[in-house]
Amino acid sequence: MSENPTRSIEPSYLKYKGRYGGIFAWIFSTDHKRIGLLYLWSIMTFFIVGAILGLLMKMELISPGKNIMGPQTYNGFFTLHGIIMIFLIVIPGLPAVFGNFFLPIMIGAKDVAFPRLNLTSWWLYMFGALVVLTSQFTGGGPPDTGWTFYAPYSFQTPTNMLPAVTGAFILGFSSILTGLNFIVTIHRMRAPGMGWFKMPLFPWSLYATGWIQLIATPIVGVTLLMIIAERTLNIGFFDPSLGGDPILYQHLFWIYSHPAVYIMILPAMGAISEIIPTFARKTIFGYKAIIASTVAIAFVGYFVWGHHMFTSGMSGVALYTFSILTFLVAIPSAIKVFNWVSTMHKASINLQTPFYWAVSFIFVFMIGGFSGLVLGALATNVHLHDTHFVVAHFHFIVFGGTGFAFLGAMHYWFPKVFGRKYDAGWANIGWLTFFIGFITLYGPMFYLGIAGMPRRYYDYVEVFHGGNIISSFGSIILIAGIAIVITNLVKSAISGEKADQNPWGGITLEWKVPSPPPLENFDEIPHVTRGPYDYS
Amino acid sequence: MEQTSGNPHIHRDDEASKIGMWLFIFTEMLLFGGLFIVYSIYRYLHPVAFELAADELDVLVGTANTVILLVSSMTIAMSVTAMQKGNKKLTLALLGATLFLALAFLVNKYFEWGSKISYGLYPGSERLHEFGHGDTLFFGLYYFMTGLHALHIIIGVVIISAVMYRVHKEMVHPTKYALLENTGLYWHLVDLIWIFLFPLFYLVT
């Protein structure tokens, strides 16, 4: 593998000249680092769209009655917001961006196992995104089912569901191929000496995520195909008038979509497990416990889908079982929180922006996790089902968890990716604004949900006005925070100060290559002899 | 393998390709697994209708197609062995036989579906509606599952043709035949799924 041991001054991956020039040097590149950045740019673009949709919905909800949009537009907005945020952003999210960029480097490889398949995944992703977005502009108007495409409405609504569902299917395929690629990469391409338990925790989380992508995604794939068949061929699987069962759709959908939550959060936890030891400058507490909990989450996560359906109609035994399993899956998550906190204990912490993101991740993740237990308990669930409490819960987990970890990872690896430093002052201001906006936006939704405000309505009664004003106000702060963070990062990527090879004093392998890394990452494939967080 | 876009480090690892293929097969089985779940639930709910509806299917055609697929699985496995022994001509002949059998399967399928449709048994048809829910679901599943399977056969035809071309051009040769092996694995998967579809739709009455 190491045919060129002595080339020391290689051009960085951002600069080398390949067969193609201009934009083609990127969109036809099979270099895992360029593909990672392709995903980064695509995801950032979609995220801005999704966030603006969210902002507009909050503006609609700032007071009762119609403000800026009617019910049908609102339905279209939350559907598109959900599809973009879930399928285009948080599911590819950390694996597609940082997994692609850093997995090979962190395990001491030159690339992923199947570089061309990797590029195919990105193309499928863009193609799927395009198909999803055409649903907005063609046919019978924007889809209005919500991102879950619940039957029977999803094949009865006159809106343009086919492209949305087909696009989601294609995106699932892209996700499967990424997971497959990472699993094979981790099995086959670890550097000499890197046993399974010398592997850093981010690759470990990608490994578990890869398996979830591989095992869960086909189920939703075939379910979406069935919805397509319902709409085009009237086939009857989920149509009660033809003998089908709409509840069966919910089961099949959540068999995938609950594990998908762990596709979102496990890599986020992996990134946090990288950031914390680096800034605490000590070895991570309970390395093997974190691995075990990662695998346990991936495993138990398959058996909890029923908790999305406590009010849909299931047998009592099924209800208890799903409720108990839901409580069980909280345990490994809690183990990780204890591990992170213990890592910080008595550490001389280097307070930098990525660390702020990491600790605020733990904070919002815990709120999200505890509120998840409230929803996982049968009695409270009946009261809170389909209220704003649920919206608050999953935004704390999905946006708070994955989003904070993503931005933490972005700041942490920024010097490595672009070879430049971000502006630390603005980065901290951005983080603080983001954090305050986040809590102000989603915090009141817990209260609103308990008070009984249902989700997915463009209107509400006067009694919910107060909480909604605070929440909508928070959305403005949050958007300002997002704008500061993105502007700062983009500006710094173009004209920031040059960064060193190892600005944080990290000891995993990515800090042993130049910033930005050369095309082949390593001059010589390293021999690993120490554990990943061995600071002694 | 040809190089793309200035990436000089596409390395060769046949073992990795095979692991990748096995993982892909795994996802394919789960894809059909979702449908087998749907099948078993509706069979449980409508046992009598499913039995009667299964009688409508032509066991002879089903059996013929089963034999065709089993033999084609054998020919493609033999083509891998022929490749290992360095016999290019035999490899191509065996792949050609596989291709022929795959097309024969599709022709059979075409006539089978055609006769059902001309008889008025297709999703959304009047006749099916008169038969009731159980039959509607049975034939819905029948068309959807065998249709998805037939789609896999068509994809297989494309892949096998591409492999034949590559064997002919000696891009796949006795020291580098992972692509051929993986195609064989894919074809066995298609065969395996049929082995489950055949009894579920044709035999269990």
Side-chain angles (χ1 to χ4, degrees):
Chain A
M1 290 222 290
S2 54
E3 73 271 25
N4 44 11
T6 49
R7 278 194 295 168
S8 52
I9 311 167
E10 276 193 87
S12 84
Y13 81 98
L14 291 166
K15 297 233 174 72
Y16 74 85
K17 293 264 182 286
R19 189 196 291 178
Y20 307 101
I23 191 175
F24 298 109
W26 287 84
I27 60 173
F28 293 134
S29 170
T30 53
D31 176 12
H32 66 100
K33 299 180 285 300
R34 289 197 171 186
I35 293 173
L37 284 201
L38 284 177
Y39 273 112
L40 179 64
W41 292 325
S42 338
I43 283 175
M44 194 176 81
T45 313
F46 293 129
F47 177 75
I48 291 170
V49 176
I52 289 170
L53 289 172
L55 178 73
L56 292 174
M57 283 191 285
K58 288 320 291 183
M59 290 303 106
E60 169 55 35
L61 290 177
I62 203 165
S63 67
K66 182 183 166 182
N67 296 322
I68 57 171
M69 62 180 96
Q72 189 58 30
T73 317
Y74 189 82
N75 293 352
F77 270 38
F78 72 65
T79 303
L80 185 61
H81 173 80
I83 294 175
I84 289 183
M85 290 299 192
I86 299 281
F87 292 114
L88 294 180
I89 293 160
V90 284
I91 287 183
L94 282 122
V97 178
F98 300 113
N100 262 322
F101 200 107
F102 285 105
L103 170 66
I105 305 183
M106 288 177 93
I107 63 172
K110 291 182 173 182
D111 207 319
V112 293
F114 310 115
R116 284 179 298 174
L117 189 69
N118 203 14
L119 181 63
T120 313
S121 299
W122 181 78
W123 275 98
L124 277 174
Y125 168 81
M126 289 310 281
F127 179 59
L130 193 74
V131 174
V132 164
L133 293 177
T134 53
S135 69
Q136 298 300 310
F137 310 109
T138 55
D144 58 349
T145 58
W147 74 278
T148 49
F149 311 126
Y150 263 19
Y153 188 58
S154 54
F155 52 86
Q156 288 173 344
T157 171
T159 57
N160 200 10
M161 292 307 300
L162 271 184
V165 176
T166 314
F169 176 80
I170 298 169
L171 290 168
F173 205 52
S174 157
S175 173
I176 290 177
L177 293 180
T178 302
L180 186 152
N181 215 336
F182 286 179
I183 292 176
V184 178
T185 306
I186 291 170
H187 270 283
R188 295 293 298 171
M189 299 181 73
R190 279 170 289 133
M194 183 174 278
W196 283 96
F197 291 110
K198 284 207 174 72
M199 193 162 74
L201 288 164
F202 185 58
W204 256 110
S205 70
L206 291 173
Y207 185 69
T209 308
W211 276 106
I212 306 179
Q213 287 172 306
L214 216 56
I215 294 177
T217 319
I219 306 284
V220 82
V222 79
T223 310
L224 295 174
L225 288 181
M226 283 189 254
I227 287 287
I228 293 170
E230 289 284 5
R231 272 189 87 87
T232 52
L233 301 172
N234 211 3
I235 216 153
F237 294 155
F238 307 125
D239 186 350
S241 68
L242 295 172
D245 183 1
I247 305 284
L248 183 61
Y249 173 82
Q250 296 187 17
H251 278 290
L252 290 169
F253 181 81
W254 288 114
I255 285 175
Y256 163 73
S257 295
H258 195 78
V261 176
Y262 302 107
I263 296 178
M264 306 167 194
I265 200 70
L266 280 178
M269 292 167 156
I272 297 298
S273 307
E274 298 296 333
I275 295 171
I276 287 180
T278 299
F279 292 96
R281 283 181 280 192
K282 70 191 257 235
T283 184
I284 193 148
F285 182 87
Y287 168 78
K288 283 191 180 168
I290 293 185
I291 293 172
S293 62
T294 302
V295 177
I297 288 175
F299 181 73
V300 183
Y302 286 111
F303 305 106
V304 299
W305 78 84
H307 67 216
H308 293 269
M309 304 166 54
F310 283 156
T311 59
S312 303
M314 268 194 292
S315 72
V317 178
L319 292 176
Y320 303 142
T321 315
F322 280 125
S323 182
I324 289 168
L325 287 167
T326 304
F327 276 76
L328 279 184
V329 83
I331 295 173
S333 309
I335 290 175
K336 283 175 192 277
V337 171
F338 288 127
N339 281 315
W340 294 324
V341 175
S342 309
T343 306
M344 292 180 229
H345 179 63
K346 286 198 174 169
S348 65
I349 291 168
N350 177 15
L351 275 179
Q352 299 280 353
T353 321
F355 189 79
Y356 292 136
W357 284 107
V359 282
S360 50
F361 164 88
I362 298 177
F363 179 74
V364 293
F365 177 71
M366 276 174 62
I367 295 178
F370 285 132
S371 59
L373 291 179
V374 176
L375 290 166
L378 293 172
T380 41
N381 181 279
V382 174
H383 178 66
L384 295 170
H385 187 83
D386 257 348
T387 66
H388 265 62
F389 192 92
V390 179
V391 182
H393 159 69
F394 71 69
H395 279 90
F396 263 87
I397 291 284
V398 174
F399 189 16
T402 310
F404 276 65
F406 188 95
L407 288 167
M410 191 70 245
H411 285 87
Y412 177 57
W413 281 314
F414 188 87
K416 184 57 63 187
V417 173
F418 296 104
R420 294 179 185 277
K421 292 178 189 164
Y422 58 80
D423 182 324
W426 278 109
N428 288 339
I429 294 169
W431 163 75
L432 191 65
T433 319
F434 191 105
F435 182 68
I436 293 170
F438 183 88
I439 300 288
T440 321
L441 168 55
Y442 298 111
M445 286 189 185
F446 283 122
Y447 159 75
L448 288 169
I450 292 173
M453 180 174 167
R455 61 193 283 211
R456 294 183 168 174
Y457 284 86
Y458 83 114
D459 192 8
Y460 51 83
V461 290
E462 182 58 37
V463 67
F464 302 128
H465 197 173
N468 271 303
I469 291 179
I470 302 174
S471 178
S472 295
F473 183 60
S475 72
I476 298 170
I477 306 177
L478 180 62
I479 287 284
I482 293 171
I484 296 172
V485 170
I486 291 182
T487 314
N488 181 39
L489 288 178
V490 170
K491 223 175 129 199
S492 305
I494 297 165
S495 61
E497 229 179 292
K498 290 259 185 260
D500 303 334
Q501 178 169 320
N502 189 359
W504 317 125
I507 55 171
T508 36
L509 284 176
E510 79 269 32
W511 304 113
K512 300 193 168 110
V513 299
S515 305
L519 176 60
E520 301 212 317
N521 302 340
F522 301 95
D523 286 345
E524 204 172 337
I525 293 296
H527 281 256
V528 180
T529 48
R530 301 168 72 179
Y533 307 105
D534 189 356
Y535 279 86
S536 55
Chain B
M1 280 185 205
E2 73 272 82
Q3 282 189 4
T4 38
S5 68
N7 191 339
H9 50 93
I10 289 179
H11 74 298
R12 186 180 149 197
D13 184 352
D14 290 350
E15 190 66 26
S17 317
K18 246 193 266 180
I19 298 176
M21 194 62 208
W22 276 108
L23 292 175
F24 180 73
I25 286 175
F26 198 35
T27 68
E28 284 279 7
M29 289 170 70
L30 283 157
L31 186 86
F32 278 93
L35 288 166
F36 284 121
I37 291 176
V38 176
Y39 175 92
S40 48
I41 287 168
Y42 288 136
R43 187 176 185 98
Y44 172 78
L45 291 175
H46 307 277
V48 181
F50 266 52
E51 265 186 59
L52 294 174
D55 280 341
E56 300 282 329
L57 297 184
D58 193 337
V59 180
L60 192 66
V61 180
T63 313
N65 265 348
T66 309
V67 173
I68 286 174
L69 272 194
L70 282 173
V71 174
S72 75
S73 240
M74 181 182 79
T75 52
I76 203 162
M78 285 163 74
S79 81
V80 176
T81 315
M83 176 58 82
Q84 283 165 339
K85 298 206 184 279
N87 191 337
K88 179 180 159 191
K89 232 171 132 186
L90 187 59
T91 310
L92 282 172
L94 286 163
L95 282 174
T98 313
L99 205 57
F100 172 77
L101 290 165
L103 292 171
F105 178 94
L106 289 173
V107 169
N108 258 347
K109 185 104 271 170
Y110 172 78
F111 285 111
E112 193 192 3
W113 276 28
S115 80
K116 290 280 162 308
I117 290 169
S118 67
Y119 188 61
L121 289 173
Y122 54 88
S125 73
E126 273 306 306
R127 185 183 288 263
L128 213 48
H129 203 64
E130 285 162 24
F131 282 179
H133 288 168
D135 291 73
T136 308
L137 290 169
F138 180 88
F139 280 100
L141 283 162
Y142 165 75
Y143 281 108
F144 194 82
M145 292 175 83
T146 57
L148 193 61
H149 178 260
L151 184 68
H152 280 80
I153 299 263
I154 294 169
I155 294 169
V157 166
V158 175
I159 296 175
I160 292 171
S161 313
V163 171
M164 279 180 79
Y165 174 78
R166 290 191 165 217
V167 172
H168 175 68
K169 291 274 168 195
E170 304 205 348
M171 287 139 84
V172 172
H173 48 77
T175 53
K176 182 168 172 285
Y177 57 93
L179 183 69
L180 176 62
E181 268 191 309
N182 283 341
T183 309
L185 282 176
Y186 173 83
W187 197 250
H188 295 324
L189 164 83
V190 174
D191 188 18
L192 180 77
I193 290 167
W194 180 258
I195 295 297
F196 283 92
L197 291 179
F198 175 57
L200 285 179
F201 284 106
Y202 295 81
L203 296 183
V204 187
T205 52

